[in-house]
Amino acid sequence: MKRQMPSTKELEREIKDRVKSMFRKDFEDATEEEIYRACAEVVNDVVIDNWLTTQKEFVKQDPKCVYYMSMEFLIGRLLGNNMINMRGYTEVMDALANLGVDINLIEDQEPDPALGNGGLGRLAACFLDSLATLQYPAYGCGIRYHYGMFKQKINDGFQEEVPDDWLQTRYPFELQRSEYEFEVKFGGWVRYENQPDGSTKYIHEGYNSVIATPYDMPITGFDNGMVNTLMIWDAKPKEVFRLASFERGDYNKAVEDMNLARNLTEVLYPNDNHIQGKELRLKQQYFFVSASLQRAIDKYLRYHNDIMRLPEKVVFQMNDTHPTLTVAELMRLLMDEHGLGWDDAWEVTTHCVAYTNHTIMAEALEKWPEDIFKGLLPRIYMIVEEINRRFCEEIKAKFPGDDEKVHRMAILADGQVKMAHMAICAGFSVNGVAALHTEILKNVSLHDFYEMYPEKFNNKTNGITQRRFLMHGNYKLSDWVIKKIGRGWITDLSQMEKLTMLLDDKKSLQQFMDIKLENKKRLAKYIFDHNGIAVDPNSIFDVQVKRLHEYKRQLLNILHVMYLYNQIKEHPEMDFYPTTFIFGAKASAGYENAKLIIKLINNVGAVINNDKSIDNKLKVVFIEDYRVSNAEWIFAAADVSEQISTASKEASGTGNMKFMLNGAVTIGTMDGANVEMYQELGGENIFIFGMSSDEVIAHEKNHDYNPVDEMNKNPHIQKVLSQLVNGNYSIDNPELFRPIYNSLLNTQCTERADTYFVLKDFASYCEAHEKIQEAYKDREKWARMALSNVAHVGKFSSDRTIQEYVDDIWHLDKLELK
Ligand code: C3B
């Protein structure tokens, strides 16, 4: 039976009782942190009951389930999310209000679990939310990093990284499950023994090992009593090793095992769309893959005896290539631990694993040096060699005489292990994350593989959960939508379409814009409290928040701001609607160009925000430590959403969808899911600019782009670029931004100057912004455009995405819950 949240009155009593029993304090004396902990336990009580019920039904109904294998789960705070999904948010809010406490302050006490970098990790979290809401049995499998994504501090305009110690105090939404521990082995060597039956036994010796301990987190569905599990793995040494009393065994090995365990899950690599080929990262990958597979097989064999039928009950979805070791580890477990021969093991493996590609960026393609790989995973390496041998035979058979092709497609080549090649070779499905991205995979980046296995390729356009990004982040708009069209959209976002009936209703449009203004005031206060900058909620809030990467082109945005500033200074009489440009972005710790762009944004802001002569027409704000929790408020407050990646580079984007859901109008390139947004919206409700992906790909192929030409023909660009290096934005050190200048113009610096076509798209970007200015001045027209965005967002729910994964790839059974 589904357990409901208590009533407001009961909650008041329960929260007070919890504060007393947990902290021996009366409510009046409790800190906000203590109240948060008490609330978490009150909510947990309900969650746990439903979790138990769900897991019992799992056993009874024995459905097929998906294991979503991911190095990252950017789940964000869970208290608010769980309250929303258990249908108890308002009740807790009221209970706390009756006790004289603001729920926002209480939610703010929770650390924001940041076990991910950006889009890929947040997508995994949205998928888990949708799986539970749609009642599909699922496990998330990942790593319990002790330190998540670093916290960003801005000091004198520069980014500084501060460790994110989210486990400093006990996290209330995780549960250690020591009964599901497994050993994971690294290094050593493999000895073979020929068996009397003619087979060979492989014995792994001389290894170091750790014990993987899972921590389970409940993943609640919306209003259905379903609770799935996110298992994140931590490592501990096999024997707890006490130096003082250590007497027997191999002292050195014990020390090594101890250090291995200590380092393994210490920290998330803070890279987005870029791979750092560090051995520790490969260790992390094998660690969580091996532990998750062992747990999955263990669970399967508890209720089934024919391992050949594993694919009927289990599917492993590999979130990018990071968990590709799933392929070889599953082969190893099936052969070495469960006695299958190669062909049977391959049959099972290739029906259990599927692969999602999230990027075409070359620097994000995972390739491991063979010697590192072999040294760390000797048995796995043997298996990869055999997979590769058979795969190359298959390519030769299909394309006789094309040795070039064999070389291009091989898993082992040039001294490297190519993870994507293994994922495609073994996976029964290969999907991209937006229509355009999938076409580029098929026709360009993975063309060889597409020719070989066209049937494997399919598209699953990304989506986002409306529960977190509207109901929780923007409750005012959410309540308004409920008043207008009911509650159906909460689990069926296509119902937003009903809002189109309000597009000509002046009163509704006004209410809609009033809510936007309220949300802008909320963000303006946040900005004032955190940045000390006063921004006018009546100005246009033009927002670009996402990871900092050159292909995402925050540089184009800030160069345009510099241009606008020049225009306003030169033509003070110019008709210009005051605009606040808001940025938020973390740069990878070692990504120098990206970090310098952050500094540039801050310096441009410092000059513009302090120039009284422009009459507050322009403001530039860089929001420190952009993360899931402040993102929710930022989306709610945006008028304009900047989605301006170089066409072909952004696989999908998901921030674009969150802005759309919150009634912001997009300025964007025809890239990633922007293309599909354009199709849903029609050209009049989105501002498209810049080159198409075909044009970009053609320039890249023909090497015929010269940014100097772009500069020479546009005096505005010339002026802005000269201001990068004349001290305008860095009086003390005019050379500070020289590397940015060089990256745009100097072929000596990078392989090709202006790799991401910033100058090429500059003029058309400026034009698009002029159109936004015009459109915004007509308040009613703008309201209609913004509301149209909400009305046409239906496609971009992760519920739709998950249903497509289920129908086309996973074929899961829904769990029945009474
Ligand atoms: C991202 C892509 O850059 C986004 O376009 C995409 O929307 C998301 O994945 C989700 O599919 N991505 C990422 O965050 N990290 C990577 N290593 C690769 C892709």
Side-chain angles (χ1 to χ4, degrees):
M1 263 294 280
K2 177 171 110 189
R3 185 168 156 196
Q4 312 271 10
M5 284 285 281
S7 67
T8 304
K9 269 278 148 269
E10 287 162 337
L11 280 164
E12 260 176 68
R13 203 194 53 242
E14 284 193 26
I15 294 170
K16 277 160 71 174
D17 287 350
R18 283 288 172 154
V19 165
K20 208 182 286 170
S21 64
M22 289 171 75
F23 305 106
R24 208 214 56 187
K25 275 187 185 172
D26 287 330
F27 189 84
E28 300 69 43
D29 301 325
T31 63
E32 283 164 355
E33 216 251 346
E34 288 162 346
I35 298 172
Y36 145 68
R37 288 190 176 276
C39 289
E41 292 313 324
V42 169
V43 174
N44 261 340
D45 266 357
V46 183
V47 172
I48 298 264
D49 272 344
N50 289 331
W51 206 357
L52 275 172
T53 312
T54 306
Q55 299 308 313
K56 284 199 182 120
E57 286 304 319
F58 261 41
V59 175
K60 219 187 279 169
Q61 297 174 30
D62 191 25
K64 182 175 183 187
C65 69
V66 61
Y67 288 78
Y68 198 79
M69 309 289 289
S70 180
M71 286 286 272
E72 303 188 13
F73 286 93
L74 191 43
I75 50 177
R77 289 178 177 154
L78 291 184
L79 177 60
N81 195 242
N82 285 342
M83 293 188 300
I84 295 249
N85 284 355
M86 312 305 288
R87 293 289 304 276
Y89 191 88
T90 321
E91 288 71 12
V92 176
M93 181 171 74
D94 293 346
L96 287 171
N98 293 344
L99 294 166
V101 180
D102 174 358
I103 194 167
N104 284 313
L105 298 178
I106 300 309
E107 285 186 58
D108 241 0
Q109 301 305 310
E110 183 178 343
D112 191 339
L115 308 182
N117 274 285
L120 172 135
R122 183 54 232 176
L123 183 77
C126 283
F127 279 5
L128 294 184
D129 182 273
S130 287
L131 278 159
T133 295
L134 295 175
Q135 278 169 233
Y136 290 115
Y139 291 91
C141 303
I143 296 176
R144 184 175 181 263
Y145 302 106
H146 297 187
Y147 292 87
M149 186 61 206
F150 63 77
K151 292 200 170 303
Q152 180 190 54
K153 289 259 175 279
I154 299 296
N155 197 344
D156 184 30
F158 289 104
Q159 166 176 302
E160 280 172 10
E161 301 88 22
V162 178
D164 164 40
D165 194 1
W166 73 291
L167 291 172
Q168 196 174 32
T169 50
R170 197 186 81 80
Y171 188 62
F173 299 105
E174 64 170 12
L175 205 65
Q176 188 178 1
R177 303 299 298 276
S178 310
E179 64 271 42
Y180 297 117
E181 291 181 339
F182 296 94
E183 186 176 6
V184 180
K185 302 172 183 174
F186 298 95
W189 57 86
V190 179
R191 189 164 59 78
Y192 350 161
E193 262 174 21
N194 292 323
Q195 302 300 102
D197 67 358
S199 67
T200 312
K201 195 168 167 190
Y202 298 90
I203 303 147
H204 193 177
E205 293 179 338
Y207 53 81
N208 289 106
S209 72
V210 297
I211 299 298
T213 307
Y215 286 71
D216 286 356
M217 287 192 184
I219 303 293
T220 53
F222 180 77
D223 195 21
N224 60 3
M226 178 96 173
V227 183
N228 275 329
T229 304
L230 167 59
M231 52 170 111
I232 49 177
W233 295 92
D234 208 338
K236 62 180 190 189
K238 208 155 134 192
E239 288 166 71
V240 176
F241 166 62
R242 282 178 301 274
L243 279 172
S245 63
F246 194 79
E247 284 164 20
R248 70 204 146 75
D250 183 340
Y251 187 91
N252 286 331
K253 196 171 153 319
V255 174
E256 279 168 17
D257 284 359
M258 186 98 172
N259 281 331
L260 180 64
R262 198 171 276 156
N263 292 331
L264 207 46
T265 54
E266 195 62 6
V267 62
L268 166 80
Y269 279 93
N271 298 316
D272 168 278
N273 266 292
H274 176 88
I275 293 304
Q276 232 174 328
K278 290 276 191 291
E279 187 181 24
L280 179 59
R281 165 107 174 163
L282 186 60
K283 275 187 198 161
Q284 290 183 336
Q285 295 184 345
Y286 184 65
F287 169 72
F288 97 94
V289 161
S290 177
S292 306
L293 292 185
Q294 292 186 65
R295 188 166 169 192
I297 292 177
D298 203 62
K299 177 168 183 278
Y300 172 82
L301 288 176
R302 214 171 311 148
Y303 308 105
H304 308 88
N305 45 31
D306 186 358
I307 191 85
M308 285 303 291
R309 297 177 67 177
L310 187 69
E312 291 172 25
K313 295 294 172 191
V314 169
V315 54
F316 298 103
Q317 186 69 35
M318 303 189 290
N319 198 24
D320 217 289
T321 54
H322 321 150
T324 301
L325 287 167
T326 299
V327 172
E329 175 66 0
L330 185 54
M331 287 295 287
R332 184 190 73 82
L333 289 168
L334 293 171
M335 293 189 299
D336 297 1
E337 310 278 331
H338 299 282
L340 294 191
W342 182 277
D343 291 335
D344 283 345
W346 186 247
E347 174 75 15
V348 172
T349 299
T350 52
H351 286 86
C352 278
V353 305
Y355 160 58
T356 305
N357 175 291
H358 293 266
T359 182
I360 62 158
M361 300 292 292
E363 65 264 36
L365 283 187
E366 278 194 295
K367 297 170 191 151
W368 292 102
E370 272 183 57
D371 49 348
I372 290 188
F373 194 100
K374 191 174 179 174
L376 189 67
L377 308 167
R379 176 65 182 134
I380 294 296
Y381 182 77
M382 290 172 68
I383 292 169
V384 173
E385 271 185 317
E386 182 59 13
I387 295 174
N388 180 55
R389 192 187 64 76
R390 291 171 183 240
F391 183 47
C392 290
E393 289 304 317
E394 198 185 329
I395 306 168
K396 274 184 214 153
K398 191 140 188 183
F399 305 97
D402 195 345
D403 289 348
E404 260 299 295
K405 200 180 188 87
V406 178
H407 184 80
R408 280 200 309 270
M409 295 176 72
I411 298 166
L412 297 175
D414 313 316
Q416 291 173 318
V417 187
K418 301 185 177 175
M419 303 306 265
H421 299 193
M422 179 151 74
I424 301 169
C425 162
F428 65 85
S429 161
V430 177
N431 77 280
V433 291
L436 174 69
H437 170 60
T438 301
E439 286 312 303
I440 294 173
L441 293 179
K442 294 199 297 198
N443 302 328
V444 188
S445 15
L446 299 178
H447 185 65
D448 284 325
F449 293 90
Y450 178 59
E451 276 189 333
M452 176 123 174
Y453 305 120
E455 72 290 349
K456 290 190 184 186
F457 283 73
N458 65 94
N459 175 246
K460 296 287 165 283
T461 298
N462 284 165
I464 56 164
T465 168
Q466 64 268 32
R467 269 84 57 189
R468 179 179 290 269
F469 291 105
L470 195 63
M471 284 187 88
H472 187 256
N474 191 350
Y475 64 92
K476 286 195 168 124
L477 183 55
S478 170
D479 287 351
W480 181 81
V481 175
I482 289 171
K483 263 193 219 110
K484 299 291 182 187
I485 63 167
R487 304 182 61 91
W489 61 272
I490 299 170
T491 49
D492 172 11
L493 198 63
S494 69
Q495 293 194 24
M496 286 290 198
E497 187 80 41
K498 293 181 189 160
L499 291 172
T500 49
M501 70 189 177
L502 304 178
L503 287 175
D504 290 312
D505 175 24
K506 287 193 181 175
K507 207 171 128 223
S508 295
L509 291 175
Q510 191 54 50
Q511 292 165 344
F512 175 73
M513 291 312 281
D514 290 345
I515 290 168
K516 181 60 82 180
L517 184 62
E518 288 300 309
N519 288 325
K520 288 166 76 173
K521 287 181 184 162
R522 180 174 73 168
L523 184 63
K525 179 172 183 320
Y526 180 95
I527 290 171
F528 188 77
D529 292 346
H530 290 79
N531 295 55
I533 302 172
V535 301
D536 178 3
N538 289 304
S539 64
I540 302 175
F541 277 17
D542 182 305
V543 188
Q544 186 173 21
V545 286
K546 49 182 75 242
R547 282 301 290 258
L548 213 139
H549 204 298
E550 284 164 287
Y551 84 80
K552 295 178 188 280
R553 298 200 295 193
Q554 283 91 353
L555 182 56
L556 175 60
N557 188 343
I558 196 67
L559 291 177
H560 171 254
V561 173
M562 289 160 63
Y563 154 76
L564 279 181
Y565 180 53
N566 291 339
Q567 290 298 99
I568 294 170
K569 298 271 294 181
E570 284 165 27
H571 312 282
E573 73 297 343
M574 172 176 126
D575 183 20
F576 182 79
Y577 204 102
T579 305
T580 303
F581 288 92
I582 297 169
F583 293 83
K586 290 182 187 177
S588 267
Y591 190 173
E592 291 304 329
N593 278 357
K595 292 176 106 173
L596 197 55
I597 292 169
I598 291 178
K599 173 66 174 163
L600 176 64
I601 295 168
N602 281 308
N603 279 21
V604 170
V607 171
I608 292 179
N609 299 340
N610 292 312
D611 183 343
K612 300 263 177 326
S613 78
I614 59 167
D615 205 19
N616 289 324
K617 281 186 182 142
L618 269 187
K619 283 274 155 81
V620 179
V621 176
F622 188 95
I623 294 181
E624 186 179 73
D625 202 34
Y626 173 60
R627 58 190 186 279
V628 178
S629 51
N630 60 20
E632 294 177 25
W633 286 24
I634 296 170
F635 297 129
D639 294 307
V640 177
S641 156
E642 297 268 353
Q643 307 300 334
I644 60 178
S645 53
T646 312
S648 80
K649 302 297 178 200
E650 188 70 274
S652 160
T654 43
N656 45 4
M657 304 167 185
K658 295 166 198 167
F659 281 105
M660 185 181 184
L661 175 66
N662 282 275
V665 180
T666 299
I667 175 169
T669 47
M670 279 299 220
D671 198 17
N674 296 353
V675 177
E676 288 156 83
M677 285 166 50
Y678 170 86
Q679 286 160 356
E680 297 295 301
L681 282 167
E684 64 279 13
N685 295 313
I686 184 168
F687 296 91
I688 297 291
F689 74 96
M691 281 196 287
S692 68
S693 56
D694 286 342
E695 289 171 296
V696 170
I697 291 168
H699 281 304
E700 287 175 337
K701 195 167 153 216
N702 303 330
H703 304 283
D704 61 355
Y705 168 56
N706 184 358
V708 177
D709 296 343
E710 300 305 313
M711 180 179 72
N712 288 340
K713 68 184 183 213
N714 186 333
H716 299 305
I717 296 186
Q718 277 166 37
K719 177 154 183 184
V720 164
L721 290 181
S722 71
Q723 288 169 335
L724 272 181
V725 288
N726 70 1
N728 214 47
Y729 294 104
S730 175
I731 304 164
D732 304 339
N733 178 6
E735 288 298 303
L736 181 63
F737 299 118
R738 176 73 63 182
I740 295 178
Y741 180 91
N742 285 347
S743 79
L744 291 171
L745 293 172
N746 187 342
T747 36
Q748 248 81 80
C749 278
T750 45
E751 192 184 329
R752 196 190 67 238
D754 194 9
T755 317
Y756 297 108
F757 302 93
V758 171
L759 303 187
K760 183 88 188 162
D761 279 347
F762 189 83
S764 98
Y765 183 58
C766 293
E767 266 171 47
H769 266 293
E770 277 161 26
K771 289 192 190 132
I772 289 177
Q773 282 275 318
E774 282 315 304
Y776 199 86
K777 282 174 199 157
D778 183 343
R779 306 299 294 125
E780 200 182 305
K781 180 176 168 201
W782 186 269
R784 212 174 292 122
M785 288 178 80
L787 184 57
S788 279
N789 271 268
V790 186
H792 294 105
V793 77
K795 176 173 181 185
F796 303 105
S797 169
S798 46
D799 300 341
R800 187 268 313 148
T801 314
I802 284 299
Q803 191 58 52
E804 289 180 8
Y805 274 93
V806 169
D807 292 341
D808 303 343
I809 305 175
W810 300 336
H811 307 292
L812 307 179
D813 308 308
K814 259 192 207 238
L815 201 74
E816 301 292 334
L817 289 166
K818 275 152 239 105

